[in-house]
């Protein structure tokens, strides 16, 4: 099979998986326990790393922007730049990339080992659709958690920028000026656009991770290969989707 | 509606001209067999002969390259068939859900299909565990169980489904002779306890000849012989005789012949 055909087969299988998973939406109410468990894994356990990363991204942005904007005499706009960059781009994209590496890889590893060790076959013989109990709760959890994580990433990123502005003397912008500029130009629409992106990225990451995991055949080596494959595909998907969503939202 | 709500009867299995290829390599080549309702049918054969592939076809986990498998006249790979016929497969590895305790493994099917209230499910699960002397394993995880216990838990999980067809993939492999005999006794006793059609894939001659109503021997993807255990004992085909009564020949070892036939 050519690479071209494989690509379309893969896209087709993701669409099919999504269709099958969403066809079980009426069962979500009965799967609250699974959804809560996935929310914990996707949201709560990812939070510390999202917080650390966002803080430093905001800080680096403020540092770089501060030095560059000084040349144009526009230091007072650092808050705007950090605020909008975090809300519209870096918050959702970095959160999705983190999720692809941390959560996506874990999902693929779990489902791939379930497939290889015939647990998925056992579900099928029990007439329990894997899409219903393995995929749908994860999609619902990511839909619930992604906006929360993105908002937290945005806010901590803004704080990171503020700390750098306040305490790095070469920038010389205080808290008040930083937050004033952030407030003046940042709109609710910017934050909402970021959350829309985050939702799409999150669903994409989960679908890719589940699809690769459930299509795994072979043994332990293939589980490892699937995890790598899922992370790489997710990263590419996030960046490609980012362009098209940004294009649609501007 | 799921059949578990209605009265259960054992069902027949028909396999016609079944062929299965993987990436152009033929594994099953024109298999024909029929299993009567309530029968214990054992499929034997050397390693790599296609026994487990045949079982996966019967379970509807794979689609045949050609030919057909029907359960009570229906295609087992269809979801509608699984809605109507309760089919359970005891996997060679057990295929227990590692993230769940034994009790949750057993309760998954009735919970997901909402067959009974939680209390009744718990009672049925405990009854199945008692049948297989697994009461002490209730809250254990599969990783804490021995090989024999895993097999018994897998059988107990199948029992909770109240199956009309019970498929076993190498139920005695990797077990010591005593545990192997115990599993054989369980399979035979289940036929008396519940109305079920059983298909057992095994290369365990003692198991096959003791519990089977009929046996089929598969070699190179084809059925080489089929009949009651007594029919097979009387079979004079040298390959069948050698398969059922292998002798260790140090003067003229079998692997030398295999090497010669591969050259």
């Amino acid at each position: 099979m050519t690479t071209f055909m494989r690509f379309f087969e893969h896209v087709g299988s993701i669409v099919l998986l999504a269709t099958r998973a969403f066809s079980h939406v009426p069962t979500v109410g009965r799967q609250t326990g699974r959804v809560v468990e996935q929310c914990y894994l996707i949201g709560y356990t990812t939070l510390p790393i999202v917080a650390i990363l966002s803080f430093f991204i905001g800080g680096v942005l403020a540092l770089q922007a501060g030095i560059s904007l000084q040349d144009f005499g526009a230091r007072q706009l650092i808050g705007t730049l950090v605020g909008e960059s975090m809300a519209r781009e870096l918050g959702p994209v970095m959160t999705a990339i983190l999720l692809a590496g941390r959560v996506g890889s874990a999902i693929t590893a779990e489902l791939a080992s379930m497939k290889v060790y015939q647990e998925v076959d056992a579900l099928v013989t029990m007439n329990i659709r894997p899409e219903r109990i393995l995929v749908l709760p994860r999609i619902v959890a990511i839909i619930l958690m992604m906006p929360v994580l993105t908002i937290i990433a945005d806010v901590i990123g803004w704080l990171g920028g503020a700390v750098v502005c306040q305490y790095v003397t070469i920038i010389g912008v205080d808290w008040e000026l930083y937050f004033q500029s952030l407030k003046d130009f940042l709109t609710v629409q910017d934050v909402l656009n970021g959350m829309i992106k985050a939702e799409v990225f999150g669903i994409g990451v989960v679908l890719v991770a589940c699809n690769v995991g459930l299509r795994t055949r072979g043994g332990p080596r293939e589980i490892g290969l699937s995890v790598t494959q899922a992370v790489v595909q997710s990263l590419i998907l996030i960046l490609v989707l980012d362009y098209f969503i940004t294009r649609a939202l501007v | 509606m799921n059949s578990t709500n209605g009265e259960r009867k054992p069902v027949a299995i028909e396999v016609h001209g079944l062929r299965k290829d993987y990436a152009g390599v033929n594994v099953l080549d024109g298999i024909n067999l029929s299993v009567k309702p309530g029968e214990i049918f054992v499929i034997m054969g050397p390693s790599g002969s296609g026994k487990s592939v045949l079982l996966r076809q019967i379970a509807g986990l794979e689609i045949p390259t050609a030919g057909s498998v029907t359960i009570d006249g229906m295609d087992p790979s269809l979801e509608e068939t699984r809605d109507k016929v309760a089919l359970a497969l005891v996997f060679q590895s057990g295929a227990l859900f590692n993230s769940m305790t034994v009790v949750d493994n057993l309760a998954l099917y009735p919970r997901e299909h909402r067959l009974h209230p939680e209390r009744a499910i718990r009672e049925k699960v405990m009854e199945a565990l008692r049948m297989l002397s697994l009461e002490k394993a209730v809250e254990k995880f599969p990783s804490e169980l021995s090989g024999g216990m895993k097999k018994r838990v897998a059988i107990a999980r199948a029992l909770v489904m109240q199956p009309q067809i019970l498929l076993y993939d190498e139920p005695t492999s990797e077990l010591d002779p005593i545990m192997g005999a115990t599993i054989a006794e369980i399979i035979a006793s289940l036929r008396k306890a519940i109305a079920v059609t059983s298909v057992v894939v095994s290369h365990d001659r003692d198991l096959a000849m003791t519990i089977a109503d009929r046996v089929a021997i598969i070699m190179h993807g084809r059925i080489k012989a089929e009949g009651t255990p007594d029919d097979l004992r009387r079979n004079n085909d040298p390959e069948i005789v050698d398969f059922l009564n292998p002798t260790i020949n140090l003067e003229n070892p079998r692997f030398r012949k295999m090497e010669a036939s591969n050259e």
Side-chain angles (χ1 to χ4, degrees), chain A residues 20 24 26-27 30-31 34 37 110 113-129 131-133 217, chain B residues 2 22 56 59-61 79 82-83 87-89 91-93 95-99 105 108-109 111-114 157 161 169:
Chain A
R20 285 180 178 160
H24 294 292
T27 68
R30 291 204 284 127
Q31 302 202 69
R34 289 192 190 108
E37 186 190 348
E110 186 182 345
S113 50
M114 285 184 77
K115 185 80 192 338
V116 166
Y117 297 111
Q118 296 181 307
E119 290 180 37
V120 173
D121 286 341
L123 286 175
V124 174
T125 56
M126 289 179 181
N127 204 15
I128 300 169
R129 297 304 309 170
E131 295 86 359
R132 178 164 68 81
I133 71 164
R217 280 168 183 260
Chain B
N2 195 295
Y22 290 105
R56 289 177 65 81
L61 291 172
E79 213 169 321
R82 293 200 193 98
D83 275 338
L87 179 150
L89 172 55
F91 289 85
Q92 185 172 356
S93 62
L96 302 175
F97 304 112
N98 283 316
S99 57
N105 260 280
L108 183 68
Y109 177 83
R111 275 181 191 151
E112 287 302 320
H113 292 281
R114 293 194 280 185
R157 185 174 69 179
M161 292 173 66
D169 190 5

Side-chain angles (χ1 to χ4, degrees), chain B residues 212-232:
Chain B
D213 294 315
R214 283 189 305 135
V215 182
I217 297 180
I218 296 188
M219 287 181 176
H220 319 296
R222 291 179 176 201
I223 292 184
K224 183 85 176 170
E226 188 185 336
T228 63
D230 284 338
D231 292 339
L232 291 181

Side-chain angles (χ1 to χ4, degrees), chain A residues 13-247:
Chain A
S13 66
I14 290 177
V15 172
L16 203 61
L17 183 72
T19 312
R20 285 180 178 160
F22 283 113
S23 73
H24 294 292
V25 163
T27 68
V28 169
R30 291 204 284 127
Q31 302 202 69
T32 318
R34 289 192 190 108
V35 172
V36 170
E37 186 190 348
Q38 290 303 321
C39 284
Y40 173 80
L41 292 173
I42 290 170
Y44 184 74
T45 61
T46 315
L47 194 56
I49 192 158
V50 165
I52 293 168
L53 203 80
S54 306
F55 184 84
F56 284 100
I57 287 174
V60 169
L61 260 180
L63 202 56
Q64 293 277 22
I67 293 164
S68 302
L69 290 175
Q70 261 179 349
D71 297 341
F72 301 101
R75 278 186 316 188
Q76 70 280 10
L77 293 177
I78 293 176
T80 310
L81 195 141
V82 173
E84 293 206 356
S85 303
M86 284 306 298
R88 285 158 59 163
E89 191 63 34
L90 291 170
V93 170
M94 292 311 298
T95 306
I97 286 174
L98 267 178
L99 274 173
R102 197 183 179 287
V103 177
S105 59
I107 291 173
T108 305
E110 186 182 345
L111 299 195
S113 50
M114 285 184 77
K115 185 80 192 338
V116 166
Y117 297 111
Q118 296 181 307
E119 290 180 37
V120 173
D121 286 341
L123 286 175
V124 174
T125 56
M126 289 179 181
N127 204 15
I128 300 169
R129 297 304 309 170
E131 295 86 359
R132 178 164 68 81
I133 71 164
L134 299 178
V135 182
L136 184 64
R138 288 176 166 92
I139 293 177
V140 174
I142 203 97
I143 289 172
L144 295 174
M145 286 295 108
M146 209 57 191
V148 178
L149 285 173
T150 308
I151 285 284
I152 291 171
D154 290 350
V155 172
I156 293 179
W158 297 337
L159 288 174
V163 169
V164 166
C165 287
Q166 178 75 18
Y167 295 106
V168 176
T169 46
I170 52 167
I171 295 177
V173 172
D174 61 18
W175 293 91
E176 277 182 29
L177 182 60
Y178 174 87
F179 280 112
Q180 190 57 51
S181 128
L182 193 150
K183 233 167 51 182
D184 286 346
F185 290 94
L186 188 71
T187 62
V188 174
Q189 194 58 48
D190 292 329
V191 178
L192 283 178
N193 285 353
M195 282 162 67
I196 291 168
K197 274 187 182 179
E199 287 286 24
V200 178
F201 296 158
I203 294 169
V205 166
V206 168
L207 282 174
V208 167
C210 291
N211 187 54
V212 174
L214 289 173
R215 282 161 61 93
T216 304
R217 280 168 183 260
R221 184 172 168 270
E222 281 71 22
I223 296 173
L225 291 174
S226 288
V227 171
T228 310
Q229 199 187 343
V231 173
V232 171
Q233 285 179 12
S234 298
L235 295 180
I236 294 170
L237 183 75
I238 290 165
L239 297 176
V240 171
L241 283 176
D242 188 31
Y243 173 80
F244 288 105
I245 300 170
T246 307
R247 189 76 189 81

Side-chain angles (χ1 to χ4, degrees), chain B residues 69-203:
Chain B
V69 177
T70 56
I71 289 177
D72 215 14
M74 296 176 284
D75 180 352
S77 66
L78 300 176
E79 213 169 321
E80 302 85 79
T81 307
R82 293 200 193 98
D83 275 338
K84 289 174 186 156
V85 180
L87 179 150
L89 172 55
V90 178
F91 289 85
Q92 185 172 356
S93 62
L96 302 175
F97 304 112
N98 283 316
S99 57
M100 296 180 193
T101 61
V102 166
V103 71
D104 287 336
N105 260 280
L106 268 66
L108 183 68
Y109 177 83
R111 275 181 191 151
E112 287 302 320
H113 292 281
R114 293 194 280 185
L115 299 181
H116 314 286
E118 185 57 32
R119 194 172 167 178
I121 289 174
R122 183 90 187 180
E123 277 169 15
K124 284 188 183 294
V125 165
M126 291 311 295
E127 188 188 327
L129 289 172
R130 265 194 301 276
M131 268 180 87
L132 294 158
S133 306
L134 285 163
E135 298 97 319
K136 288 180 183 166
V138 172
E139 293 303 332
K140 286 187 176 173
F141 283 90
S143 58
E144 299 170 300
L145 304 175
S146 66
M149 284 175 92
K150 278 184 189 169
K151 298 260 185 196
R152 281 188 289 152
V153 172
I155 295 173
R157 185 174 69 179
L159 284 184
V160 172
M161 292 173 66
Q162 296 176 271
Q164 291 158 281
I165 295 180
L166 191 40
L167 309 175
Y168 302 86
D169 190 5
E170 301 282 8
T172 58
S173 66
E174 300 162 32
L175 297 180
D176 64 74
I178 301 286
M179 188 50 71
T182 309
I183 298 289
E185 288 163 8
I186 289 168
I187 296 170
S189 64
L190 284 180
R191 197 246 303 259
K192 290 177 189 162
I194 55 171
V196 64
T197 306
S198 307
V199 178
V200 185
V201 156
S202 179
H203 54 243

